[in-house]
Amino acid sequence: MPVLARLLGAVEPRTARAPGQAAGFVLWPLAVLVVAQRLWWSLSEPFPPARFRVLYQASFTFLNPDTAAGAGAGVPPLSPGAALLTAPLAVLTPDPARWGWHVLGIATLLGAWALLLHLLDVSVRSWLAPLLLLGMFLSGPVTYTVLTDDLGAFVLLALVAWLHLSVRRHEIAAALALGAVLALMPVFAPLLAVPVLQRRGAQALTAAAVAALAGAVVWARTGEVGVSALDHAAPAPRSIFAAAAYLHLPPAVAAAAAVVIAAAVGAALVLLHRRRADERLHTLTAAGVLLLGCCLLAPAAGAPYSIVLLPLIASVVLPGSAVRTWPAWVAVYALGTDENWSSPHLLGLGTHLEALRPTAGWLLLLATACAVLATQTRHARTPAASSGTEKFPAPPPLTDR
């Protein structure tokens, strides 16, 4: 019975010789089973989800702009990057196209996870690797992407690729990746401020040119372009303007709140620029703050937009991260879960919680990031340090913790 002996040897308690190994033994099975459950859940529906039908129709319209005129009436136009990405779908019939697209989406999510590990210098042997995988597939935005075949996985991969390439100083590749992000999500154009603040004007210009070229190609082909690759038709908008309308607040109050949010984003960027943080943490935090501002200020922003905040949330493993505090994780729970707080006994309160939860999470995470950055800057000031160019200590590589 050599096979049985090996199996018994693999599960004996002494195989976990350190807390990190024990955590890995706990987290890997949980992560794999959660991923498998999400896949099983997504395959249980015999008919294509509504979002995929929209993508397939957009692909057919893109490939046949003359014969398909009017066929996509009432469907919001896709962003330039989304239109180009989904264009090959209609080459296949709907059923094979759906399964191929679904497999590609899952592979893209796993690729984004692996690239994010590399960006954070986390080994796949570390217990942090399954923890990140488990957190991703338990989150509401990733679950929504898996179940609806939405484009969130591709937006996330393009974003992580840009962050990774920018930190590694691959300027041309980073510019192309940022251009892909902007082509997929033109509402994320404020991300161009990150390379500008880092004095990489060529990267910003190239990325803007790539996004503009994609928009020109799609406009010439179809005569219309959208501003988002994510599904903003099914979920209700969650921006600060949508929250103000839900609460029946005057437009002036919504405008004032938007000004305050924009000022908070600007203040956070100034604090980051003055601190001259290490490049990886600076890029992750600056991009995360700008994306929070986009989520709050883009009128059509919905809960699926939270998928782009995963790199900022994962930066908790880095010393000096703005999310290493408990209010940040209250915000992460609010914006990242799909748990239902509706109650027949507290119907009004539960309805309000469900309607305002993502918006409140974005607001709280932005406020927490600003507060942490302000506190770090105040503590870093010394009589001898008047130039404002203090640096965070470079974090050590994350090995098997």
Side-chain angles (χ1 to χ4, degrees):
M1 290 287 189
V3 175
L4 179 59
R6 281 198 296 270
L7 288 175
L8 292 175
V11 299
E12 60 180 335
R14 67 183 181 86
T15 55
R17 296 178 175 85
Q21 282 183 306
F25 289 164
V26 171
L27 291 170
W28 270 118
L30 296 178
V32 171
L33 289 173
V34 166
V35 173
Q37 191 276 336
R38 293 299 189 266
L39 295 177
W40 184 275
W41 192 3
S42 66
L43 299 177
S44 62
E45 175 58 55
F47 303 104
R51 179 57 173 167
F52 176 77
R53 292 196 293 270
V54 170
L55 297 178
Y56 189 85
Q57 181 59 56
S59 169
F60 187 82
T61 303
F62 184 84
L63 294 180
N64 307 277
D66 299 326
T67 59
V75 177
L78 299 179
S79 65
L84 293 175
L85 181 64
T86 58
L89 281 178
V91 174
L92 303 173
T93 56
D95 198 51
R98 179 207 175 183
W99 296 120
W101 182 256
H102 190 70
V103 171
L104 184 60
I106 298 299
T108 302
L109 278 173
L110 295 177
W113 165 74
L115 196 57
L116 188 55
L117 290 181
H118 197 262
L119 171 63
L120 299 172
D121 288 334
V122 176
S123 169
V124 74
R125 297 181 178 181
S126 169
W127 60 271
L128 293 171
L131 180 62
L132 177 59
L133 184 63
L134 178 64
M136 280 181 59
F137 279 83
L138 280 177
S139 69
V142 172
T143 300
Y144 178 85
T145 295
V146 173
L147 296 182
T148 63
D149 288 328
D150 200 9
L151 292 163
F154 301 93
V155 176
L156 178 62
L157 180 61
L159 176 65
V160 176
W162 165 58
L163 294 169
H164 183 275
L165 293 167
S166 183
V167 169
R168 264 60 180 184
R169 292 280 178 170
H170 301 299
E171 294 298 328
I172 297 178
L176 295 177
L178 179 56
V181 175
L182 301 184
L184 286 166
M185 298 291 294
V187 293
F188 290 164
L191 286 176
L192 291 170
V194 176
V196 170
L197 290 174
Q198 295 176 342
R199 299 179 181 178
R200 300 178 181 180
Q203 182 186 131
L205 289 174
T206 305
V210 170
L213 179 61
V217 170
V218 174
W219 177 266
R221 183 74 178 173
T222 65
E224 59 179 10
V225 291
V227 296
S228 173
L230 300 178
D231 186 4
H232 58 268
R238 304 296 188 183
S239 69
I240 195 67
F241 302 104
Y246 176 82
L247 295 173
H248 303 290
L249 298 177
V253 174
V259 171
V260 171
I261 290 168
V265 172
L269 293 178
V270 170
L271 292 172
L272 275 169
H273 187 64
R274 292 183 62 188
R275 286 299 308 276
R276 298 292 198 277
D278 74 273
E279 189 168 337
R280 176 173 52 176
L281 189 59
H282 180 278
T283 305
L284 280 166
T285 308
V289 167
L290 285 166
L291 289 169
L292 280 168
C294 293
C295 291
L296 286 164
L297 298 179
Y305 278 46
S306 295
I307 196 171
V308 299
L309 300 175
L310 281 170
L312 174 64
I313 296 169
S315 73
V316 69
V317 304
L318 302 178
S321 171
V323 295
R324 279 196 170 191
T325 182
W326 66 264
W329 288 90
V330 175
V332 170
Y333 176 87
L335 64 89
T337 64
D338 55 358
E339 296 180 354
N340 195 323
W341 284 74
S342 299
S343 168
H345 304 290
L346 299 170
L347 184 60
L349 179 60
T351 302
H352 296 332
L353 284 174
E354 280 303 299
L356 300 173
R357 180 167 52 82
T359 313
W362 294 335
L363 283 170
L364 179 56
L365 189 56
L366 178 60
T368 302
C370 291
V372 169
L373 292 172
T375 303
Q376 289 175 341
T377 302
R378 185 175 69 250
H379 288 172
R381 288 175 180 167
T382 61
S386 58
S387 63
T389 59
E390 300 83 11
K391 294 185 178 182
F392 289 127
L398 289 171
T399 55
D400 188 9
R401 298 187 173 186

